[in-house]
Amino acid sequence: MVNYSSGSPRPDTPQGDEGPGADDRRDAAPAVRAQGLTVVRGPRTVLRDLDFTVPRGRITGLLGPSGCGKSTLMRAVVGTQAKVTGTLDVLGSPAGHPTLRTRIGYVTQAPSVYDDLTVRQNLDYFAAILDPGRAAADRRHENVTRAIADVDLTTHADALAGNLSGGQRSRVSLAVALLGTPELLVLDEPTVGLDPVLRRDLWQLFHTLAAERGTTLLISSHVMDEAERCHRLLLMRAGEILADDTPDALRARTGSDTVEAAFLHLVDAAIAAGRTKETTR
Ligand SMILES: Nc1ncnc2c1ncn2[C@@H]1O[C@H](COP(=O)(O)OP(=O)(O)OP(=O)(O)O)[C@@H](O)[C@H]1O
């Protein structure tokens, strides 16, 4: 586990996250490095020749419209996607390497919880798989209690998962991913269906994980205002990466006030470039 200074600040937004440890993180090799990453699903090339990096200890937002390939990219990073070509290194090993299993937490869009177990029983079950044996019982109890508190479900710890709301069930899935204190957390649209207060609280948790535990977070969303909360952004469209930059740099580069406006600017530029290519053929 990479552990950075626990004295780092806790920003709610990325601006000003220059506390102790920030330089170390930037200097470290990236958590994810892709070169020429291509994925074919069925008859279609869904990701086309992508080059990008995900820096360690930071929050990288993966944004783009529905169907552009965000989930496919995440599945490639966690090693569950077939027909991946090119280079994809994750935490220093090829994506999908068995040693990465305990170092990565992955939360899919569909919550993976047992409805007939309580929140705590769900967590106890997964904790027992991660850290088995009687000798680890106290540690497991501590980790389960911490993970439940992390996602703000302490008051629902004894509720059946089947009786929770959609947003609460998603948070149980997130708690499962947090059990093993992963170095890399890959979250596929974790805030879908959550009210504004919960969304804000979850983003605060993501910033705390990055600043205090040195966790690298790769978070997908198609809500552009969430982009403003990320340290870095990968903007996608139709299986390609339009931009790999900070929100500030993106706004400055495109002369836009918001990341949403910057994204639209880049989409228009890509469409215009495509048209030019067509007419010069
Ligand atoms: N099992 C599959 N077989 C063939 N094509 C697929 C399969 N799953 C997804 N696709 C296609 O791959 C493309 C990318 O899908 P993906 O789920 O990665 O997009 P996404 O950006 O995550 O979308 P969303 O935001 O709606 O979840 C889509 O065009 C989709 O139709």
Side-chain angles (χ1 to χ4, degrees):
M1 171 79 190
V2 183
N3 237 329
Y4 299 102
S5 167
S6 59
S8 299
R10 262 199 233 191
D12 294 342
T13 57
Q15 286 75 21
D17 180 22
E18 298 297 322
D23 284 342
D24 297 352
R25 279 176 248 149
R26 272 195 290 272
D27 291 346
V32 179
R33 185 194 298 276
Q35 271 180 325
L37 176 69
T38 298
V39 175
V40 174
R41 294 186 87 165
R44 297 189 48 213
T45 300
V46 171
L47 301 182
R48 195 179 301 274
D49 200 20
L50 306 188
D51 295 343
F52 66 88
T53 56
V54 174
R56 285 192 193 240
R58 313 291 276 174
I59 301 176
T60 299
L62 181 59
L63 282 103
S66 181
C68 71
K70 302 182 295 294
S71 301
T72 305
L73 186 149
M74 292 186 141
R75 286 164 53 87
V77 167
V78 300
T80 57
Q81 180 62 52
K83 296 195 180 170
V84 178
T85 52
T87 303
L88 184 57
D89 288 328
V90 180
L91 303 173
S93 300
H97 194 278
T99 56
L100 291 174
R101 272 179 213 150
T102 54
R103 300 172 68 196
I104 301 176
Y106 174 41
V107 183
T108 62
Q109 283 180 31
S112 38
V113 294
Y114 293 101
D115 283 348
D116 53 344
L117 299 181
T118 67
V119 171
R120 180 174 284 282
Q121 286 167 340
N122 264 285
L123 273 286
D124 283 342
Y125 171 75
F126 289 105
I129 295 171
L130 272 175
D131 192 8
R134 252 168 220 237
D138 286 347
R139 186 170 57 224
R140 278 201 303 271
H141 182 76
E142 219 170 90
N143 284 340
V144 165
T145 303
R146 172 187 50 78
I148 292 174
D150 278 346
V151 299
D152 204 16
L153 281 177
T154 305
T155 54
H156 289 77
D158 297 318
L160 279 182
N163 291 342
L164 299 177
S165 72
Q168 289 169 331
R169 284 157 53 83
S170 303
R171 283 186 283 147
V172 179
S173 269
L174 178 58
V176 172
L178 292 175
L179 271 178
T181 50
E183 289 165 62
L184 171 63
L185 203 46
V186 178
L187 307 177
D188 201 346
E189 307 222 10
T191 59
V192 164
L194 299 187
D195 63 69
V197 175
L198 270 177
R199 274 177 48 182
R200 181 201 60 195
D201 291 351
L202 268 191
W203 277 96
Q204 266 167 5
L205 169 64
F206 300 155
H207 277 279
T208 302
L209 291 171
E212 296 190 356
R213 296 186 199 161
T215 309
T216 303
L217 293 102
L218 178 61
I219 302 177
S220 73
S221 176
H222 55 252
V223 183
M224 281 291 166
D225 69 359
E226 296 199 327
E228 311 281 351
R229 300 172 185 261
C230 300
H231 298 114
R232 209 169 171 87
L233 295 170
L234 295 172
L235 296 188
M236 287 187 74
R237 177 182 169 267
E240 295 186 353
I241 289 186
L242 288 180
D244 174 359
D245 221 329
T246 63
D248 277 348
L250 271 172
R251 281 189 297 263
R253 175 147 73 86
T254 55
S256 310
D257 290 337
T258 62
V259 170
E260 179 159 10
F263 178 75
L264 293 173
H265 180 98
L266 293 167
V267 168
D268 288 345
I271 291 170
R275 276 203 210 107
T276 310
K277 228 189 268 173
E278 287 291 311
T279 52
T280 52
R281 260 187 206 156

